[in-house]
Every structure is written in structure tokens, then in C-alpha cells.
Amino acid sequence: MSTRIPLPYSPKVLELFKNPKNLGRMEDADAYALAGSLACGDMIAIYLKIDESTQVIEKATFESYGCAANIASSSIMTEMAKGKPLKEAWEITWKQISDELGVLPVIKHHCGILAVGALKKAIREYFSNKQKPDWLPEKITSDEKHALEEEKLMEILSKKLKRKK
């Protein structure tokens, strides 16, 4: 018998976990980001299709290697980003994601932060070979700092595992 206490997920989190929206790789993406969370080891890949003339996100998809909260956060983030100009998508916060999901448990806030961090990394990647707009900060944001690159995440997790042995 498990001694784990189930997390109090909202019905929206459970619905998006069972039936995620916008799930899957996008082969013709204009922007892509892969990010992981040190808090739990979850990973997310986000793909954006962007109308170059209007800079509106036409399509957003994701792949997730994580828990129910990670999948639901990524799913709702793609729903929130679709149809928005990049500047508006950049302003999406993890708190808005949590609110849209009917509140994430405190222990799962990092899932919303990871989703937002991956979105911001993808938007930043889109402008990597283009003229950067005034609204895009030069330095990475705290959300981006929490969404680590896969290699950095693996390096940190490996060090933690070695210390436990």
C-alpha cells in the first residue's frame, strides 16, 4: 500500500492530463525550445508557428516528459499563446496558467514556471537571427532561468545522484 498522499488537482488539470490539447511535435516550427525543471526533472519541448508579417502565434504545440501538472500546464499555455502577438504571449505568467487550471497545488507551481520559461525561450529563439523588438529584454528572465537546458539539467541531476551514493 502506498504511503503517498494524492495531490489535490483541479478537475481542469485532470482533464488536460487525460486529454491534452496541442500535444505533439511540429515539424515546420518557426521557433522551438527544450527546457527542464530542476525541481522535479520534468522536460518540455515547445514548438511555435509564427506569422512573420504580424508576429502572431498561429500554432503552438508541446511534448512533455513529466507529471500531470506539467502536461496540463503545457497544454493550457499553448492554448493561451495561440492567436496572440509575440509581445502578448511573452507577458503570460505562471500565475495566469495556474489560475486557468483552477490553481496548481503549491508543490507544483514549478510546472507553470517551466511552461512559461519554455515559451519565453522559444520566443527568444525566434528572434535569435532577427532584429530584436524593444519589449524583449536583453537578459534572460527568472522564468527562463528556471527552465534549464537539457544538458544543464542532466549535469545538475547527475551531481546530485553522485552525492547521494
Side-chain angles (χ1 to χ4, degrees):
M1 182 173 180
S2 174
T3 56
R4 297 178 70 182
I5 299 171
L7 291 172
Y9 287 127
S10 71
K12 184 82 172 187
V13 169
L14 295 174
E15 172 58 28
L16 288 173
F17 170 60
K18 293 176 187 169
N19 302 297
K21 295 179 179 178
N22 310 309
L23 180 64
R25 175 183 295 268
M26 185 189 310
E27 298 298 333
D28 62 342
D30 296 310
Y32 159 82
L34 179 66
S37 170
L38 188 56
C40 60
D42 287 355
M43 297 291 297
I44 175 177
I46 180 167
Y47 306 88
L48 301 176
K49 186 72 180 167
I50 300 163
D51 181 303
E52 189 165 342
S53 64
T54 62
Q55 295 193 343
V56 169
I57 298 173
E58 296 177 327
K59 187 176 176 185
T61 65
F62 75 98
E63 295 176 296
S64 173
Y65 310 97
C67 64
N70 180 292
I71 292 168
S73 294
S74 301
S75 179
I76 202 76
M77 179 272 295
T78 58
E79 284 291 294
M80 294 169 71
K82 282 192 314 186
K84 282 192 169 49
L86 291 170
K87 182 179 186 293
E88 285 182 36
W90 179 268
E91 295 168 353
I92 294 172
T93 67
W94 74 265
K95 181 75 170 95
Q96 290 171 320
I97 287 174
S98 180
D99 290 347
E100 285 291 320
L101 291 172
V103 178
L104 283 170
V106 172
I107 196 168
K108 294 296 183 178
H109 282 178
H110 65 273
C111 294
I113 294 168
L114 178 61
V116 167
L119 174 63
K120 289 182 188 281
K121 283 183 168 220
I123 292 172
R124 190 178 293 281
E125 192 273 333
Y126 176 74
F127 288 110
S128 63
N129 295 325
K130 297 177 172 48
Q131 182 173 356
K132 292 179 180 53
D134 294 342
W135 52 264
L136 187 66
E138 286 294 320
K139 294 183 178 178
I140 65 170
T141 64
S142 62
D143 293 329
E144 291 172 280
K145 287 179 185 171
H146 283 92
L148 300 172
E149 300 291 336
E150 182 180 19
E151 293 80 18
K152 183 73 175 171
L153 179 67
M154 295 308 292
E155 179 183 321
I156 292 170
L157 291 175
S158 300
K159 286 179 182 175
K160 282 188 170 188
L161 286 173
K162 286 179 183 174
R163 278 189 248 144
K164 287 185 177 183
K165 289 182 179 180

